[in-house]
Amino acid sequence: HDYEVATVRRLDDDLVEIGLRPLGRPMHFTPGQFAMIYLECKDGWHRHPFQCRIAGDLPVSLFRKTF
């Protein structure tokens, strides 16, 4: 399933919210479920665990504490 990043919000010094929009058929997430997400960065692809929640007008919002 492919998604694009629609929003990024820093909620605290160590907490980031990323809103995703599906590019095709969306996946169904259960609030509180964890997902391993691959994000393309300047230095290549990185895999990170995120906690999922359903939110507002975007199908998925993911939260991750930064380290």
Side-chain angles (χ1 to χ4, degrees), residues 3-7 17-22 26-30 33 35 37 50-63:
Y3 283 77
E4 68 180 357
V5 174
T7 60
E17 176 188 48
I18 298 176
L20 300 178
R21 182 176 296 115
M27 287 185 70
H28 297 285
F29 294 96
T30 301
Q33 177 180 349
I37 305 295
F50 284 87
Q51 183 178 8
C52 304
R53 80 173 174 100
I54 306 301
D57 58 348
L58 294 175
V60 180
S61 289
L62 304 170
F63 294 89

Side-chain angles (χ1 to χ4, degrees), residues 25-55:
R25 185 173 58 107
M27 287 185 70
H28 297 285
F29 294 96
T30 301
Q33 177 180 349
F34 281 85
M36 292 301 289
I37 305 295
Y38 288 88
L39 299 171
E40 187 175 14
C41 301
K42 291 180 182 178
D43 62 343
W45 288 88
H46 296 269
R47 182 177 68 161
H48 296 283
F50 284 87
Q51 183 178 8
C52 304
R53 80 173 174 100
I54 306 301

